[in-house]
Amino acid sequence: KVGPKLEVVNNIVLVWSILSLVSCRSISIGLNVASVDLLLRQDAAARRNTAGSAVRSEKVGISGDRECTAAPEARFDCARDRTLTRGECEERGCCYGPLSGSAGPPWCFYPRSYPGYTMGPLSPTTRGQTATLTRKKPSYLPKDISSLRLEVIEETTGCLHLTLKDASSQRYEVHLPGGIPESSADNQSVFYAAEYQSDPFGFIVRRRSNGRVIMNTTVAPLLFADQYLQMSTSLASSLVSGLGEHYTSILLDLNWTSLTLWNRDMAPHADANLYGAHPFYIVQEEDGFAHGVFLLNSNAIEVMLQPTPALTWVSTGGILDLYVFLGPDPQSVIRQYLHIIGYPMMPPYWSLGFHLCRWGYTTSKTTRRVAQSMHDANFPLDVQWNDLDYANKRRVFTFDPWRFGDLPEIVDEFHQRGMKYILILDPGISSSSLPGTYPPFDDGLKRDVFIKNATGHVLIGKVWPGPTAFPDFTNPETRTWWEDCIRDFHSKVPVDGLWIDMNEPASFVQGSVEGCPDSDLENPPYTPRVVGGRLNSGTLCMSAQQKLSSHYNLHNLYGLTEAYATHSALKNIRRKRPFVLSRSSYPSIGRFSGVWTGDVRSDWEQLRFSIPAVLQFGLFGVPLVGADVCGFGGDTTEELCIRWMQLGAFYPFMRNHNDKPNAPQEPYVFGQKAQAAMRTALNLRYSLLPFLYTLFHHTHTSADTVARPLFIEFPTDPNCQSIDKQFLWGSLLLISPVLEEGAVELAAYLPRGTWYSLHDGQPFYSGGQYLLLPAPLDIINIHVREGHIIPQQEPALTTTASRRNPFFLTVALSAGGWARGDLFWDDGESLDTFETQNYCYLIFIAGQSQIVSELVKLNGDLDGLVLGGLQVFGVPSPPRFVLANGEKVGDFTPSSLSYLQSS
């Protein structure tokens, strides 16, 4: 029966030809005998069935060819937008391969070749190169976009910028406050090389120095529809961090997990989208190399991670605006990222002190008593806070005349004692007051500052005061109105900073009190996995209109735009360095605000996970960050609160905050031993504030990190790749907290070198190993890295007082007897002191049995301050005498110099 055999083979060749031309899908020509026999059997079966059955059989044959032989971990999901049956999967031209278990690799996945865009030739532009991508046949997505414009810009030697956008129609694009710097690359010296596959389109980015592939988007098809944008890439390693805000370790789990970036009022827990959206990741490569990728897109995003290793971006709108950072080391990646989104602001010095807050300080009398009790118990306290208790009927820009009638006087008292005062400011403006009785709403209506619904009326949601309207901070008039409201309130209550909460924005009703229209924005073709199942869950309607675009496009930017407006208002009103603390966040918010990690529970797990949360915000350019010390939700315990105070003493931002129904957790409410341990931790923090402030200077001017993962500082040490139970301040102070209940010792990793205990100067000579350290309840293990000098100051109850105290230096000598350190110092609150050259900067150098200071920059801010002490770790033999500025120091003992005999 030669005829039928030839007929089948000819049909196969014909099908292959058609598919190659139309959909770029191919069947291997090199069919072996077994393959032909299999196809003959399938053909015979098809002939015995109906035409429809024959079609199904033919598709099954396609799913079994070489195009569909990808290993399970290398499959890329072809049914991300919805669940597909086998027939629906194959109707898309995708492969279907069931596997055991419900989780893990997709059953419906793309074949090796899949129809996509075809790339035209690259043409030069004033900033780089451009090309047109065209799709001959629509994808399976609704409102597919058939023609795209690719732009390639070499921003800097270490940063490659690629954008993909609709070639014929304008789409929403993110524009960060302050803009993005112009490109400045010399293409002869760039760290990267880009390659392009024309059909189907994809690109590959390599590291020039070693040829390593950083990105490879040819692994799966590019999809670009009106409300569904998808791009996949391979990863250079499985060591991936970032893509916040989520409740994760410092390294992300790549075992078929997904992360959704959609800002939501949601207490931290696993597998949930939380308050912030940061579409940036950093990958640790081999040999200490690293790279990062930033997708500048503010729509709802889901990122799929798989063990290939690879990831897939899916966005519900906007454009694909990608920045690739080549490092080559992790710290360089962060600097390159911050060069794009902006360097962090310089915080006021007092904001690095201890802050105390509670939802439940129900009267001004209670607030005054709490602050007084802290200082009576000899606990440092710089900033007293109030939650929404202060507001009249929970309406912002008011204070209750009965419970907080003397609030202006209390704030004046705090200022006279050298303290500061901050209160909460939610964005929701009460809309239910009688006309003429609540100026923020009345004036806002007149000035047209509120977000509108789809019909053009003010959208009304519901938050703490009841029905509320939401300011549109993308509107310049709104920012002016916001400043006017703050100015008017500040004239009565001279607050020192503002805490902007509920700014995802959060609402207690879905969308609005009137619901949301049935539209593509409210019901998009694809909804990422979000808490509540819908994009408008716990927030505003997606169809709500703002000055710049729809809330569908702008939702993730709400907290950033409010922080920008609040920072600007405080700067103009107080004429001092602003302090703003935000819950919601998006890239570049660190230029205007600090962030706290939200409503953490009072338990040991949340204590432990607060470290990677803080470290990740450092990677995102938000160095002023901390978790609520002792926890916000639920009752703490004495032991947990001690350990949290010890860890919190090394958060860049330290605030104890508590919820209404919980047991009190101010430090003075605990037993005397617990108080002593907490006092020790706070005094240690205050003594280190000159060093911490100097670290913030470096992050503000050079994009260094403050709280730093070990892999940033020791990128070639494989043991540091995943450590997130310890961290560094800068490059030299290693913090190893107790994170387990009942523990009195801990295993701490000390990278190679000599480390000195800050507690007693004991040296530890490490080859890069874990050491078992004693950790009694009154001690947190802090180690100083050899070769460094730390500037410190005698602590006091406020930074106003401590800044007048004598300095002292802690010197940790290297094996060769050298050390170096620095100090940045200004008045602590004036605007732009570095930019206007109004500061002091000193470098300290130890070597050859002497310690000297070099005055790089000097103004009057150090006048009257003295060096009151010195401790030197690692002195090889007892000194016979000590000279200070050439004059012999009087009585001293080796212990007064913290002299330690080397072993």
Side-chain angles (χ1 to χ4, degrees), residues 123-374:
S123 303
T125 67
T126 55
R127 296 195 63 202
Q129 294 177 299
T130 185
T132 299
L133 310 183
T134 55
R135 178 184 279 280
K136 297 178 182 178
K137 180 181 177 182
S139 72
Y140 51 81
L141 296 170
K143 298 182 182 180
D144 198 37
I145 296 173
S146 60
S147 180
L148 303 177
R149 177 182 172 87
L150 168 69
E151 294 181 0
V152 183
I153 303 169
E154 295 179 344
E155 293 284 355
T156 64
T157 56
C159 174
L160 177 65
H161 183 193
L162 304 103
T163 63
L164 286 161
K165 58 183 72 175
D166 191 331
S168 58
S169 298
Q170 181 69 36
R171 293 173 60 81
Y172 173 72
E173 300 180 27
V174 178
H175 296 283
L176 296 176
I180 290 175
E182 289 291 320
S183 58
S184 59
D186 172 5
N187 59 13
Q188 298 298 315
S189 61
V190 294
F191 298 164
Y192 44 81
E195 305 163 10
Y196 303 93
Q197 176 177 286
S198 61
D199 189 12
F201 168 76
F203 63 86
I204 298 171
V205 180
R206 296 182 186 273
R207 186 180 296 284
R208 257 189 178 167
S209 63
N210 57 18
R212 180 176 297 134
V213 173
I214 299 305
M215 289 188 70
N216 179 4
T217 70
T218 70
V219 295
L222 166 69
L223 299 176
F224 203 119
D226 183 42
Q227 292 181 273
Y228 189 98
L229 288 64
Q230 177 176 298
M231 175 180 283
S232 300
T233 179
S234 63
L235 295 168
S237 89
S238 298
L239 304 172
V240 184
S241 301
L243 299 173
E245 180 181 3
H246 297 95
Y247 189 73
T248 66
S249 301
I250 194 70
L251 287 185
L252 299 175
D253 179 7
L254 270 59
N255 189 26
W256 301 107
T257 58
S258 72
L259 299 169
T260 298
L261 281 61
W262 187 245
N263 294 358
R264 174 66 196 250
D265 172 9
M266 183 53 54
H269 65 278
D271 302 319
N273 51 301
L274 303 181
Y275 312 102
H278 294 270
F280 164 78
Y281 66 83
I282 182 171
V283 178
Q284 300 176 59
E285 304 169 33
E286 299 173 6
D287 306 324
F289 287 103
H291 70 271
V293 175
F294 171 41
L295 175 61
L296 181 55
N297 182 295
S298 61
N299 289 85
I301 292 174
E302 189 166 6
V303 185
M304 280 61 71
L305 303 166
Q306 60 190 74
T308 316
L311 65 74
T312 298
W313 299 97
V314 173
S315 173
T316 59
I319 66 170
L320 294 176
D321 194 355
L322 281 165
Y323 292 83
V324 186
F325 309 106
L326 272 290
D329 57 89
Q331 185 63 68
S332 296
V333 171
I334 303 305
R335 289 195 183 101
Q336 290 158 358
Y337 176 45
L338 268 58
H339 177 74
I340 297 298
I341 66 170
Y343 287 7
M345 52 110 187
M346 184 68 183
Y349 193 95
W350 55 262
S351 69
L352 306 183
F354 183 59
H355 303 242
L356 185 60
C357 184
R358 180 173 186 172
W359 191 11
Y361 294 153
T362 55
T363 65
S364 57
K365 182 179 179 181
T366 301
T367 305
R368 179 190 281 114
R369 177 177 51 78
V370 166
Q372 186 63 52
S373 297
M374 284 290 292

Side-chain angles (χ1 to χ4, degrees), residues 358-363 386-392 400 403-404 424 660:
R358 180 173 186 172
W359 191 11
Y361 294 153
T362 55
T363 65
N386 273 122
D387 208 314
L388 204 54
D389 306 274
Y390 77 90
N392 186 13
D400 189 291
R403 294 181 297 107
F404 282 85
I424 198 168
K660 266 186 177 182

